Amino acid sequence: MNFMPLLMLALSQPAVSSPEPLDEIQRRDLSCVAGLAIIASEQERGVESALDFPLLSERGATYAGLVGQQIMDDTGRTREQVREDILAAVAAQQAWAQQAADPDELVRSGMAACLSLLDAAVPPKPKPDLTQCAGMLQLAYDEVHGREGLSKTAQDLKTLAAVLDSRARDRMRAEGLSGQESDILLTRSRETMLADAKKRKSLGQSSNLDFDHCFVLAAPEEKQPRNEH
């Protein structure tokens, strides 16, 4: 998922022109949109330092849409003008990082404040556990496979679902459950996930769980402590 196109699509076109100047709060919010977009882009590319932050593609895009719409409402800016403001903020963030003596510290400092704003505006969804994630990834695989066949995305989802299923079984075994009991729990979890997904789809709603967290749980063991913010 690419953050910037989602960010742009989240903004609607207002009817008013002649924008008002941006105030300090609006500039701060745009700076946070830029910072979140940069980190989300780096996370998608697998940049190591960016993976220390919560996964930001979905929530960051939602936050950008909220900020952009509020600025358009308050200042009369058009969608295109807000887009230019955001791109200018991204360029400024990148320039500051290049000039900083300690770019990583600059990013961490800025993200601390921006993550607080993000959490207030777009609260993080509850994190599913291993059993729930095993079901969610299996259902995601079934959906993509039904639509695309054994595409690269479907193969990746199948692999991740298998990893999560194995780790869920390992945890259940460590808790003293038998293989048959594990089968029952995993089957029930998938059935619950499927029923909830069908209900939410009929209502036009997305999942109430943090699907991205499942990719964290499926990562190599040494990576799992990351994104736990």
Side-chain angles (χ1 to χ4, degrees):
M1 187 185 321
N2 193 296
F3 188 105
M4 294 303 289
L6 281 174
L7 183 157
M8 294 304 114
L9 288 172
L11 305 179
S12 59
Q13 181 76 33
V16 184
S17 57
S18 303
E20 296 292 331
L22 295 175
D23 62 26
E24 182 178 350
I25 298 299
Q26 290 162 344
R27 290 195 300 271
R28 178 205 65 186
D29 292 345
L30 283 175
S31 180
C32 281
V33 167
L36 295 171
I38 291 169
I39 295 298
S41 177
E42 291 179 347
Q43 288 175 339
E44 290 168 1
R45 300 198 312 272
V47 176
E48 191 76 8
S49 59
L51 297 176
D52 286 328
F53 298 106
L55 297 176
L56 295 171
S57 59
E58 182 178 354
R59 292 174 62 221
T62 300
Y63 177 73
L66 293 173
V67 168
Q69 187 62 59
Q70 188 63 54
I71 289 176
M72 287 190 292
D73 291 343
D74 291 345
T75 68
R77 273 170 164 71
T78 64
R79 174 175 175 244
E80 182 63 24
Q81 287 168 327
V82 172
R83 177 181 181 276
E84 292 302 318
D85 287 334
I86 292 172
L87 293 177
V90 169
Q93 290 265 348
Q94 293 171 331
W96 293 336
Q98 291 173 355
Q99 296 168 7
D102 188 345
D104 289 341
E105 178 56 33
L106 177 68
V107 171
R108 283 192 297 270
S109 175
M111 285 296 291
C114 291
L115 287 174
S116 295
L117 293 173
L118 174 66
D119 288 345
V122 189
K125 295 179 179 179
K127 289 181 171 60
D129 59 24
L130 264 176
T131 303
Q132 290 173 313
C133 279
M136 292 169 74
L137 265 293
Q138 181 61 46
L139 292 176
Y141 162 73
D142 291 342
E143 179 179 348
V144 173
H145 182 264
R147 185 174 64 246
E148 304 175 3
L150 200 58
S151 63
K152 176 64 165 60
T153 300
Q155 292 179 55
D156 290 344
L157 289 170
K158 183 178 182 180
T159 299
L160 293 174
V163 168
L164 289 169
D165 183 271
S166 176
R167 289 180 180 174
R169 291 177 185 278
D170 288 344
R171 178 168 295 182
M172 291 177 193
R173 185 164 49 250
E175 293 171 350
L177 298 179
S178 67
Q180 183 178 8
E181 289 170 326
S182 297
D183 287 340
I184 292 172
L185 287 175
L186 286 165
T187 299
R188 286 178 179 173
S189 177
R190 281 193 292 270
E191 290 173 346
T192 299
M193 293 287 110
L194 180 59
D196 182 70
K198 287 181 176 178
K199 179 180 178 181
R200 289 183 175 277
K201 185 175 182 179
S202 70
L203 297 173
Q205 300 174 348
S206 60
S207 174
N208 65 329
L209 295 175
D210 182 2
F211 184 71
D212 282 345
H213 182 63
C214 294
F215 296 101
V216 177
L217 294 181
E221 296 290 347
E222 67 271 18
K223 300 281 181 142
Q224 288 192 41
R226 296 185 172 209
N227 296 311
E228 296 293 326
H229 298 279

